[in-house]
Amino acid sequence: MARDKTLIVGNWKMNLNMHEASLYVHQLSKVVKTHRDVEVVLAPTALTLQSLSLQVNFRQFKLAAQNFYWRDSGAYTGEISATQLRGIVQYALVGHSERRHVFHESDKDIRAKVQAAIRNHLIPILCVGETAFERSEDETQAVLHDQLIGGLANVTSDELEHIVIAYEPVWAIGTGQNALPVDVSHAIRAIRGQIKHLYGQKAADNMQVLYGGSVTADSAADYLALPDVDGLLIGGASLDAHAFSEIVKKAHKGSSLAK
Ligand code: PGA
């Protein structure tokens, strides 16, 4: 993805029912300003996606799926495909740590989902990151390497231009224990190094990479100031309209565009 816009993604996880989601979007639309240099993406539960797609102004908010199955259609009870999400969402999270660790998604599943998203013209936000144990064993770079190879195998350099990567250390997600900016920089440099190795310098320079893990309105600016960080993936703080709009405001560098 071109790095001309800072991406702020709110991952609501399994929170808010249809009524609450609609009210919340209504509230958010009043406080979140539209800026030319910021793309704001909301990832509500699948249940609310269709109604929110009719409610939101896509100039103000884009939508993302939190998850989907990699087949386009068929006998897969309980699943939703990227084909069915077309026209409703523009983005899709792939390989979020909760999918990897709670639902045991493998790199093979994640790779198939990246492919399915691309095939269906959705922008995959491929999440990578080490656990606390892997970090303590000094394996962060090796984990990032493996997850990138696993998720991006079969992706061509043209397709890579339509992918976003999110660095989310597992130990920082939902724990209030956010990573130090210097460590985030270090990890994202390793990610770009790997992209360079696989696709070349230009691809590495153009890769849009986000940070996620216990980001708050207070800490957001510290990450956004890092030249390697092109946006944020926000969980808990995205459920607070005030905090989320503050984060969007901090992501805005240029002049604001009237809604
Ligand atoms: P958090 O979640 O901001 O609540 O840590 C981030 C995420 O899961 O993407």
Side-chain angles (χ1 to χ4, degrees):
M1 287 287 292
R3 299 172 66 190
D4 54 343
K5 282 190 183 199
T6 301
L7 209 56
I8 302 295
V9 185
N11 175 12
W12 299 358
K13 310 194 180 186
M14 201 174 66
N15 295 296
L16 309 184
N17 63 26
M18 259 170 72
H19 181 63
E20 291 163 342
S22 172
L23 274 179
Y24 184 53
V25 162
H26 180 68
Q27 200 188 349
L28 267 188
S29 66
K30 295 199 159 143
V31 291
V32 172
K33 294 250 173 359
T34 302
H35 303 291
R36 224 187 273 274
D37 57 351
V38 184
E39 175 120 305
V40 182
V41 182
L42 307 177
T45 57
L47 184 65
T48 61
L49 278 173
Q50 191 180 15
S51 59
L52 293 187
S53 76
L54 301 173
Q55 183 181 341
V56 299
N57 170 355
F58 281 130
R59 273 189 65 228
Q60 186 176 24
F61 302 122
K62 300 282 192 286
L63 292 177
Q66 295 177 13
N67 182 41
F68 57 95
Y69 187 52
W70 60 271
R71 298 263 193 201
D72 287 343
S73 64
Y76 303 102
T77 303
E79 295 297 324
I80 295 172
S81 73
T83 308
Q84 293 170 317
L85 289 164
R86 273 178 89 152
I88 296 177
V89 303
Q90 295 75 29
Y91 291 85
L93 300 183
V94 179
H96 186 278
S97 81
E98 286 145 23
R99 299 300 317 169
R100 290 180 192 263
H101 298 287
V102 182
F103 298 100
H104 309 293
E105 277 185 18
S106 67
D107 278 332
K108 191 162 164 261
D109 298 320
I110 290 162
R111 168 156 71 243
K113 289 184 179 195
V114 167
Q115 291 296 316
I118 293 172
R119 185 165 73 239
N120 287 286
H121 306 286
L122 308 181
I123 299 169
I125 302 176
L126 172 64
C127 304
V128 295
E130 79 286 359
T131 62
F133 177 74
E134 290 159 344
R135 180 173 182 241
S136 70
E137 296 288 299
D138 208 15
E139 288 174 354
T140 300
Q141 299 220 5
V143 169
L144 296 176
H145 171 273
D146 291 354
Q147 291 181 344
L148 288 170
I149 298 257
L152 296 176
N154 308 334
V155 169
T156 67
S157 22
D158 284 349
E159 290 168 346
L160 192 73
E161 288 173 20
H162 306 286
I163 293 184
V164 174
I165 291 175
Y167 170 58
E168 294 210 301
V170 180
W171 51 270
I173 296 178
T175 57
Q177 215 197 324
N178 48 331
L180 292 176
V182 61
D183 292 335
V184 172
S185 252
H186 203 228
I188 294 185
R189 268 188 220 145
I191 290 171
R192 283 193 207 287
Q194 182 64 19
I195 298 292
K196 178 180 166 195
H197 179 69
L198 295 170
Y199 296 95
Q201 184 70 56
K202 191 158 169 265
D205 292 343
N206 290 342
M207 191 79 235
Q208 185 151 30
V209 189
L210 317 180
Y211 167 70
S214 295
V215 177
T216 61
D218 289 337
S219 66
D222 295 343
Y223 299 108
L224 291 167
L226 300 171
D228 282 306
V229 171
D230 305 311
L232 299 168
L233 180 46
I234 323 272
S238 74
L239 292 168
D240 175 334
H242 176 71
F244 191 64
S245 69
E246 279 302 304
I247 294 170
V248 172
K249 208 190 281 175
K250 286 179 179 159
H252 166 55
K253 299 178 199 92
S255 60
S256 68
L257 181 75
K259 277 202 285 169

